[in-house]
């Protein structure tokens, strides 16, 4: 596998992990009846606002 292919694979894996972390945090916030906001998600997950997009 080329270096570029390996880099893409690692980036994809990291992205999936970030998505999973955000989903779990959102579910926890909903269970706690806490309002889900970008700043709270950023604080609880350590992810940047560019990663978190609520719609």
């Amino acid at each position: 596998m080329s270096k570029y292919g390996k880099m893409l694979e690692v980036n994809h894996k990291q992205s999936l992990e970030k998505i999973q972390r955000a989903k779990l945090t959102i579910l926890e916030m909903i269970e706690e009846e806490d309002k889900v906001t970008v700043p709270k998600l950023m604080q609880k997950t350590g992810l940047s606002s560019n990663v978190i997009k609520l719609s």
Side-chain angles (χ1 to χ4, degrees), residues 8-44:
L8 288 177
E9 182 182 326
V10 169
N11 285 341
H12 183 69
K13 182 180 176 187
Q14 289 175 343
S15 294
L16 292 176
E17 290 171 355
K18 290 177 184 178
I19 291 168
Q20 187 64 24
R21 186 173 7 155
K23 284 181 179 180
L24 289 174
T25 303
I26 290 169
L27 290 175
E28 289 173 2
M29 292 173 76
I30 290 171
E31 286 177 3
E32 296 171 358
E33 297 182 3
D34 194 9
K35 186 175 181 181
V36 179
T37 63
V38 172
K40 285 183 184 178
L41 280 173
M42 289 172 56
Q43 182 180 20
K44 290 186 178 208

Side-chain angles (χ1 to χ4, degrees), residues 42-54:
M42 289 172 56
Q43 182 180 20
K44 290 186 178 208
T45 63
L47 299 173
S48 71
S49 61
N50 293 333
V51 175
I52 302 169
K53 293 181 173 55
L54 299 178

